């Protein structure tokens, strides 16, 4: 080996030694680094798999949390509260739940679809006793049998949303429950949402398609069996977890504790083994390639160092040869052919010199080419720049510009060069400031450093003398000790306009005549405009202080729900409407207040005017029924006179025994009570009083109205047929106002029946209860109403009577609207007319034993009314 090296030229030997040593070093490093990389990658891969599994579990848990939040939103929805307001569920009663199969009920808005959640399979309304009252069924699959009975074990506390992963019919479900209240705040029970945890649920929880082909599944921890997965075609539900250990990397994790669950489960993440192996191979191959490149670089550098050393030694030998030839006269030493000869070294040096000269020429040409490219690039930048660029000499005259400057300043191209920029294009007020900045930008500090680039805002002039704001930056450049200045000019007209608009908007709240406040999450006032002073003083607070306790909870609820809320605050002399607008991302709530005192006073005056109008209408009606009332009052008075005269004659003749006289006195007392009741009804009908609502039996109310028109029906030789409901129908109404409505309808029917001959007149009044609504129908067989007049029945002052005012039906409509009721009419000319009144049934029933019960009737009066002809009978 040594002999071979001696025969080779020194550079060649150096190259050979460098290759051998470099390869040996690379072999050793390859073995050591490969094992180290495998260990590092193994740890990193394990961490990544665990992180991937934790991310999947977090997404799954967050998805279930979204269901809990959406369920709370649905449980507190205004539509559900309104639906529950008239309902009353008796605890423990045996009822079949109402099932909505395939269609969405009124109380169930589509909140899950708007929140990008899968629709639940069932939504249940459960009473406080844990019994299912109503069920919404989205598909054909019925409610699991485990949920048809007592649901108490799945319901949460009074103030919490409860989420449970349960197992019904060997299938996993997410059961979410929350308390529901009606519009009055009364707790009705719970809202239960049932969502199947199937492939669609898991796929939705994981979001978009995974690039590493991973999958997730729910595992029965006891049986180690797959219950559901987001890839059912790859991971078959029902298969054992051990069946997939060769094909997948499986990471099982315990789910967060869901108290009350009836099964033990795990959340597993499946990552294909081939993906993991492929990733590992890629990393190892990449690392090996990098080591190979590093080894090649090492060998090249090592070889180059040895080569340069050998070349340097050859150069020293060459100098020694020349010195010996010229100075010492020593003959040139000889070398073997092909060895390290000085002639070969000289030829190489000549060739090297020529290469250096050639390289220098190429570098010169390349530098010139780069200079031309730089100039072209600079020209392109100047052309395309959105800002104006102007170059000035040391005296401030223009020596260069770009097209943007020409368009912005509007100057003449032929006259611009050499023009004093400050005098021609800077406003007179800012000219001195600009010249001072121009001079200061070229000065140097005490250590020779330049001052920072000058930047300022000033007003510029266009060639047509139009002023506009600009932002200018001055960059000094030294060329052969002759300074020049480059100006970068930006038109800030739009920015100034935007700033003025922003300032105007910022003053909007302070200039508002209505109170505007901003409160933080702790319900403390962080901002209040001047108009809020009266409201804050009424609250006994101050800017920076807390809101009243009654509004703190509203602030927290608005931030939690993210929904705008509106409330009223009656402060005695002033009434405010408060609009709570939450800004969740910034953690505060804006409160917009509005003084509605005048509006509420106007509403109160309107109600008073309405009551007065009803009273006037009742007086008009009373004038029409006065004759009947007088006739009805004469009957008990005549009976009293007859009984009194008979008793007097018996006493005078001495023939009256005590029993007969007591009987006569009893008749006199009964007839006097009857007359008193007639007068009492008359005073109630005519009396002007404030509206007072009470719970009344609608059947008794109808009988009372029929008794008002006994004289008219007798005069028309007819009877009123009453078809009343068998059971009492409680309604919460103002007795006098509803009597007025029914009396108007009955009298209109009697007026219409005057056109029929005696014996052919029919008037029927019926009552009926339909769930939560009470109906009263007034049907007559009069001549009917023409179709062209049907649309104007409820218009004020529209009447078909010669002496009518046209206010009976409009007032009746107003009264019923105040009672949340309706009225409608149907008529067929020649056949008759039907008026139907609808009222809400009272939530609280009647108390039959209360002597002060509705209608203001005594027990004796009630007995008298009950003994009159009832449902289906004829009553005159």
């Amino acid at each position: 080996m040594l002999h071979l090296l001696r025969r080779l030229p020194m550079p060649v030997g150096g190259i050979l030694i460098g290759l051998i040593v470099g390869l040996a070093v690379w072999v050793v490093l390859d073995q050591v680094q490969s094992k180290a990389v495998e260990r590092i990658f193994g740890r990193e891969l394990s961490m990544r798999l665990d992180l991937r599994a934790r991310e999947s579990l977090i997404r799954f848990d967050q998805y279930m949390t979204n269901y809990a939040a959406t369920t709370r939103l649905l449980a507190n929805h205004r539509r559900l509260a309104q639906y529950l307001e008239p309902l009353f569920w008796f605890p423990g009663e045996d009822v079949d739940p109402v099932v909505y199969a395939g269609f969405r009920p009124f109380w169930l808005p589509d909140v899950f679809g708007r929140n990008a959640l899968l629709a639940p399979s069932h939504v249940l309304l459960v009473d406080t006793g844990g019994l299912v009252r109503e069920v919404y069924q989205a598909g054909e699959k019925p409610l699991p049998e485990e949920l048809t009975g007592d649901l108490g074990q799945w319901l949460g506390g009074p103030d919490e949303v409860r989420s449970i992963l349960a197992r019904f019919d060997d299938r996993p479900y997410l059961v979410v429950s929350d308390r529901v209240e009606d519009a009055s705040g009364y707790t009705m029970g719970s809202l239960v949402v049932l969502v199947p945890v199937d492939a669609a649920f898991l796929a939705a929880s994981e979001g978009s398609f995974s690039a590493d082909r991973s999958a997730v599944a729910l595992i029965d921890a006891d049986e180690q069996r797959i219950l559901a997965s987001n890839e059912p075609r790859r991971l078959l539900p029902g298969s054992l977890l051990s069946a997939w250990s060769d094909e997948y990397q499986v990471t099982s994790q315990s789910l967060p504790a869901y108290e009350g669950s009836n099964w033990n489960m795990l959340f597993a993440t499946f990552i294909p083994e081939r993906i993991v192996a492929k990733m590992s191979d890629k990393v190892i191959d990449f690392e090996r390639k990098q080591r190979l490149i590093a080894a090649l670089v090492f060998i090249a550098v090592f070889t180059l160092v040895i080569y340069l050393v050998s070349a340097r030694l050859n150069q020293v030998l060459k100098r020694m040869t020349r010195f010996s030839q010229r100075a010492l006269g020593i003959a040139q030493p000889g070398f073997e052919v092909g060895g390290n000869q000085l002639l070969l070294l000289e030829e190489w040096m000549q060739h090297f010199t020529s290469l250096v000269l050639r390289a220098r020429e190429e570098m010169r040409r390349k530098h010139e080419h780069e200079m031309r490219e730089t100039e072209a690039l600079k020209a392109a930048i100047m052309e395309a720049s959105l800002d104006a660029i102007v170059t000035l000499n040391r005296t401030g005259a223009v020596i260069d510009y770009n097209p943007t400057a020409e368009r912005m300043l509007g100057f003449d191209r032929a006259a611009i060069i050499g023009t004093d920029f400050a005098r021609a294009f800077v406003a007179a007020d800012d000219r001195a400031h600009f010249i001072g900045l121009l001079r200061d930008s070229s000065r140097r500090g005490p250590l020779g450093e330049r001052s920072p680039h000058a930047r300022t805002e000033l007003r510029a002039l266009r060639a047509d003398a139009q002023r506009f704001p600009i932002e200018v930056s001055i960059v000094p450049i030294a060329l052969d000790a002759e300074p020049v200045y480059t100006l970068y000019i930006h038109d800030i007209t739009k920015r100034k306009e935007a700033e003025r608009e922003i300032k105007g908007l910022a003053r909007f709240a302070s200039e508002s005549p209505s109170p505007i406040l901003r409160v933080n999450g702790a319900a403390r006032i962080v901002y209040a405009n001047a108009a809020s002073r009266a409201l804050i003083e009424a609250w006994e607070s101050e800017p920076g202080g807390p809101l009243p306790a009654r509004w703190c909870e509203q602030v927290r609820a608005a931030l939690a729900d993210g929904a705008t809320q509106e409330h009223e605050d009656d402060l005695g002399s002033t009434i405010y409407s408060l609009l709570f607008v939450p800004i969740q991302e910034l953690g505060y709530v804006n409160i917009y207040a509005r003084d509605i005192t005048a509006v509420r006073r106007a509403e109160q005056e309107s109600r008073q005017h309405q009551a007065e109008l009803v009273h006037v209408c009742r007086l008009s009606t009373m004038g029409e029924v006065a004759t009947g009332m007088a006739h009805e009052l004469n009957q008990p008075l005549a009976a009293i006179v007859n009984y009194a005269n008979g008793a007097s004659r018996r006493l005078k003749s001495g023939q009256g025994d005590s029993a007969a006289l007591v009987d006569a006195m009893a008749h006199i007392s009964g007839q006097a009570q009857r007359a008193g009741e007639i007068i009492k009804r008359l005073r109630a009908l005519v009396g002007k009083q404030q509206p007072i609502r009470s719970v009344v039996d609608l059947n008794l109310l109808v009988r009372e109205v029929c008794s008002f028109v006994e004289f008219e029906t007798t005069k028309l030789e007819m009877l009123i047929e009453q078809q009343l409901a068998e059971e009492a129908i409680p309604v919460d109404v103002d007795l006098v106002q509803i009597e007025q409505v029914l009396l108007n309808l009955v009298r209109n029917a009697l007026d219409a029946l005057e056109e029929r001959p005696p014996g052919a007149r029919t008037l029927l009044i019926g009552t009926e209860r339909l769930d939560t609504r009470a109906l009263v129908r007034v049907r007559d067989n009069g001549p009917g109403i023409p179709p062209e007049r049907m649309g104007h029945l409820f218009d004020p002052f529209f009447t078909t009577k010669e002496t009518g005012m046209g206010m009976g039906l409009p007032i009746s409509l107003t009264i019923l609207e105040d009672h949340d009721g309706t009225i409608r009419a149907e008529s067929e000319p020649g056949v008759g007319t039907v008026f139907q009144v609808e009222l809400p049934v009272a939530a609280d029933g009647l108390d039959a034993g209360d002597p002060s019960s509705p209608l203001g009737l005594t027990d004796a009066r009630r007995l008298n009314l009950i003994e009159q002809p009832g449902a289906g009978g004829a009553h005159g």
Side-chain angles (χ1 to χ4, degrees):
M1 187 69 177
L2 295 175
H3 180 70
L4 179 62
L5 292 176
R6 291 191 188 99
R7 297 180 58 87
L8 292 175
M10 187 177 296
V12 177
I15 293 173
L16 182 59
I17 293 173
L19 291 174
I20 295 172
V21 175
L23 288 174
V25 173
W26 180 78
V27 170
V28 175
L29 292 178
D30 182 73
Q31 296 296 325
V32 176
Q33 291 184 0
S34 294
K35 294 181 180 180
V37 168
E38 289 179 359
R39 289 195 301 270
I40 295 172
F41 178 75
R43 291 195 298 269
E44 182 67 18
L45 180 60
S46 178
M47 293 174 59
R48 288 182 177 272
L49 293 179
D50 291 341
L51 179 60
R52 178 68 176 87
R54 286 196 297 272
E55 290 176 349
S56 299
L57 178 58
I58 290 172
R59 286 194 293 268
F60 179 80
D61 186 64
Q62 182 62 41
Y63 196 70
M64 291 192 295
T65 303
N66 293 341
Y67 270 102
T70 305
T71 299
R72 165 143 289 187
L73 176 63
L74 178 58
N76 292 275
H77 200 278
R78 178 174 56 85
R79 186 183 297 178
L80 179 57
Q82 291 177 351
Y83 175 78
L84 295 175
E85 175 66 20
L87 297 181
F88 184 80
W89 293 331
F90 293 95
E93 67 176 343
D94 187 11
V95 295
D96 293 328
V98 179
V99 180
Y100 304 93
F103 67 94
R104 190 180 300 277
F106 165 78
W107 50 265
L108 182 59
D110 187 18
V111 295
F112 293 96
R114 291 197 292 268
N115 291 340
L117 298 175
L118 295 177
S121 62
H122 298 81
V123 181
L124 293 73
L125 286 179
V126 183
D127 62 17
T128 54
L131 295 180
V132 180
R133 294 292 184 166
E134 296 189 17
V135 179
Y136 164 67
Q137 180 177 314
E140 298 180 357
K141 192 172 184 62
L143 187 68
E145 294 182 359
E146 290 91 334
L147 290 176
T148 57
D150 187 357
L151 277 171
Q153 62 177 323
W154 308 109
L155 303 180
D159 296 322
E160 66 176 355
V161 180
R162 191 180 188 189
S163 299
I164 302 176
L165 279 175
R167 187 173 179 179
F168 306 126
D169 298 334
D170 203 29
R171 295 183 60 191
Y173 286 87
L174 174 62
V175 182
V176 187
S177 64
D178 193 15
R179 182 185 64 179
V180 293
E181 299 176 348
D182 59 12
S184 301
Y186 178 78
T187 300
M188 296 293 293
S190 299
L191 175 76
V192 181
V193 175
L194 191 64
V195 185
V197 182
D198 51 10
F201 185 95
L202 293 173
S205 67
E206 289 305 301
S208 60
F209 179 77
S210 178
D212 58 2
R213 301 287 294 173
S214 62
V216 296
L218 286 181
I219 306 299
D220 188 324
D222 299 327
E223 301 176 1
Q224 290 294 301
R225 182 167 55 90
I226 297 177
L227 296 176
S229 69
N230 66 335
E231 295 288 343
R233 295 183 178 179
R234 289 194 291 156
L235 297 174
L236 300 178
S239 60
L240 295 177
L241 187 63
S242 58
W244 305 100
S245 59
D246 295 333
E247 188 177 351
Y248 291 94
Q249 285 273 1
V250 182
T251 303
S252 299
Q253 304 174 85
S254 297
L255 283 168
Y258 288 91
E259 184 179 358
S261 178
N262 60 350
W263 64 307
N264 186 16
M265 64 177 178
L266 296 174
F267 184 86
T269 305
F270 294 76
I271 300 178
E273 283 284 354
R274 56 185 181 83
I275 298 298
V276 176
K278 185 177 180 181
M279 186 185 305
S280 178
D281 293 339
K282 284 184 177 179
V283 172
I284 293 175
D285 290 341
F286 174 79
E287 194 277 334
R288 184 167 293 170
K289 290 179 180 178
Q290 294 299 318
R291 290 202 306 272
L292 180 59
I293 294 174
L296 293 177
V297 172
F298 178 81
I299 294 172
V301 172
F302 193 84
T303 304
L304 180 60
V305 170
I306 295 178
Y307 176 79
L308 292 177
V309 171
S310 62
R312 182 63 177 172
L313 291 176
N314 281 335
Q315 186 177 12
V316 171
L317 291 175
K318 180 180 179 181
R319 290 179 179 177
M320 291 175 62
T321 302
R322 291 180 178 177
F323 179 79
S324 62
Q325 288 178 348
R326 297 178 181 176
L328 303 176
I330 300 175
Q332 179 179 350
F335 294 91
E336 297 179 359
V337 179
N340 190 4
Q341 300 178 5
L342 292 177
L343 293 177
L344 297 176
L345 179 60
E346 184 179 0
E347 291 176 359
W348 180 85
M349 290 297 295
Q350 292 176 356
H351 178 66
F352 178 77
T353 303
S354 63
L355 290 177
V356 170
L357 294 175
R358 188 184 306 169
R360 187 178 64 178
E361 183 65 22
E362 290 179 357
M363 289 295 293
R364 184 184 62 79
R365 290 196 300 267
K366 183 178 180 181
H367 178 69
E368 292 177 354
H369 178 70
E370 290 177 353
M371 289 293 293
R372 288 193 296 269
E373 288 183 348
T374 301
E375 291 294 332
L377 181 60
K378 178 183 175 182
I381 293 175
M382 293 282 286
E383 292 285 339
S385 176
L386 298 178
D387 291 336
I389 301 175
V390 179
T391 303
L392 310 179
N393 60 14
R394 63 182 182 84
T395 62
V398 178
I399 58 176
D400 194 11
Y401 60 90
N402 68 340
T404 305
E406 181 181 357
R407 290 190 298 270
M408 180 184 296
L409 300 175
F411 52 73
D412 185 5
R413 294 175 59 90
I416 185 61
I417 301 299
T419 302
D420 188 338
F421 181 84
R423 188 175 299 276
F425 301 110
V426 178
D429 298 341
D430 298 330
R431 195 170 296 158
H433 175 57
F434 172 75
I435 295 174
L437 287 176
L438 202 67
R439 293 174 179 172
D440 294 341
S441 63
S442 61
R443 296 176 182 174
R444 296 181 178 271
L447 301 178
E449 71 278 4
R450 283 192 180 275
S451 59
H453 297 166
R455 183 187 298 270
T456 188
E457 294 182 5
L458 47 82
R459 287 162 295 178
L461 293 174
R462 291 190 175 95
D464 57 359
Q466 181 182 358
R467 299 160 64 102
F468 65 100
I470 62 172
E471 182 181 36
V472 58
S473 178
I474 304 174
V475 180
I477 302 174
L479 297 178
D480 298 332
E482 182 71 19
V484 297
Y485 308 95
T486 299
L487 309 181
Y488 296 90
I489 306 171
H490 180 65
D491 188 347
I492 57 173
T493 303
K494 293 184 178 179
R495 192 180 79 186
K496 289 295 184 181
E497 293 175 354
E499 290 176 355
R500 286 194 296 271
E501 183 176 357
I502 291 173
K503 291 180 180 178
L505 292 175
R507 292 194 301 268
F508 176 76
S510 60
E511 296 172 352
S512 174
S514 298
I516 298 177
L517 302 92
R518 174 170 294 175
V519 297
N520 57 18
R524 286 191 170 273
I525 304 172
V526 298
Y527 170 79
N529 64 351
S532 306
R533 181 176 300 173
L535 177 60
I536 294 177
E537 291 177 353
W539 282 347
E540 298 181 356
S541 184
E542 60 182 358
L547 289 179
R550 63 182 182 275
W551 298 122
C552 294
E553 184 62 28
Q554 300 297 334
V555 170
R556 287 189 286 270
L559 281 175
D561 296 342
T564 300
Q565 302 179 7
E566 187 172 3
H567 305 278
E568 288 189 9
D569 192 1
D570 190 349
L571 300 176
S573 60
T574 309
I575 303 175
Y576 285 97
S577 173
L578 304 179
L579 187 65
F580 290 76
V581 181
I583 311 297
Q584 287 183 308
E585 60 272 15
L586 300 179
Y588 61 78
V589 175
N590 290 335
I591 301 178
Y592 302 94
R594 182 166 55 91
D595 188 348
I596 58 172
T597 307
V599 176
R600 292 294 177 262
R601 289 176 179 172
E603 292 176 354
Q604 183 178 3
E605 293 176 358
S606 176
R607 287 193 294 269
Q608 292 176 354
H609 293 164
Q610 177 182 332
E612 293 174 358
L613 185 59
V614 171
H615 177 66
V616 171
C617 187
R618 292 182 67 81
L619 290 177
S620 176
T621 304
M622 189 57 206
E624 298 177 2
V625 300
T627 303
M629 284 293 182
H631 174 75
E632 186 176 357
L633 189 60
N634 282 332
Q635 291 180 356
L637 293 177
I640 291 172
V641 171
N642 291 334
Y643 282 120
N645 290 335
S648 177
R649 286 193 303 268
R650 288 176 180 270
L651 290 173
K652 290 178 180 180
S653 63
Q655 300 176 355
D657 56 355
S658 61
L661 293 176
V662 169
D663 183 66
M665 291 301 102
H667 281 85
I668 291 174
S669 177
Q671 293 300 323
Q673 290 181 359
R674 180 183 177 188
E677 289 294 333
I678 294 172
I679 294 172
K680 186 176 182 180
R681 292 199 336 252
L682 183 62
R683 291 183 63 187
L685 180 65
V686 180
K688 181 180 179 182
Q689 59 185 2
Q690 294 297 325
I692 302 175
R693 293 197 181 188
S694 59
V695 179
V696 58
D697 182 3
L698 188 59
N699 295 329
L700 295 180
L701 190 63
V702 171
R703 292 192 184 103
E704 185 77 5
V705 171
C706 291
S707 68
F708 291 156
V709 293
E710 288 180 351
F711 178 76
E712 284 83 351
T713 57
T714 303
K715 181 179 178 182
L716 292 174
E717 301 178 7
M718 60 171 291
L719 299 175
I720 298 178
E721 182 179 358
Q722 300 181 29
Q723 294 182 356
L724 306 181
E726 295 182 358
E727 61 180 7
I729 305 177
V731 290
D732 187 8
V733 298
D734 180 85
L735 173 64
V736 175
Q737 292 186 352
I738 299 302
E739 276 186 351
Q740 176 67 36
V741 172
L742 298 179
L743 187 60
N744 284 339
L745 298 180
V746 172
R747 289 199 56 80
N748 288 343
L750 292 176
D751 292 341
L753 290 174
E754 290 181 355
E755 301 183 15
R756 291 286 187 184
R761 297 164 179 161
T762 301
L763 177 58
L764 183 146
I765 300 180
T767 61
E768 182 181 0
R769 177 172 179 172
L770 297 177
D771 197 9
T772 60
R773 307 296 287 181
L775 304 181
V776 180
R777 295 186 180 89
V778 180
R779 184 190 302 272
D780 66 74
N781 65 340
I785 303 173
E788 62 273 10
R789 296 184 178 181
M790 289 293 294
H792 302 283
L793 286 180
F794 300 98
D795 293 346
F797 307 108
F798 176 79
T799 180
T800 59
K801 303 177 185 179
E802 294 181 358
T803 59
M805 293 191 304
M807 292 300 295
L809 288 178
I811 291 176
S812 299
L813 176 61
T814 303
I815 292 173
L816 290 172
E817 288 178 347
D818 289 342
H819 286 75
D820 295 329
T822 60
I823 182 173
R824 61 187 182 91
E826 297 179 359
S827 182
E828 184 177 351
V831 177
T833 304
V834 178
F835 280 87
Q836 177 172 298
V837 174
E838 182 176 341
L839 291 167
V841 174
D844 299 329
L846 293 169
D847 185 3
D850 185 4
S852 60
S853 58
L855 293 179
L857 303 177
T858 63
D859 291 342
R861 176 57 178 159
R862 278 187 172 277
L863 183 60
N864 185 32
L865 287 175
I866 294 174
E867 290 175 350
Q868 293 180 13
H875 178 69

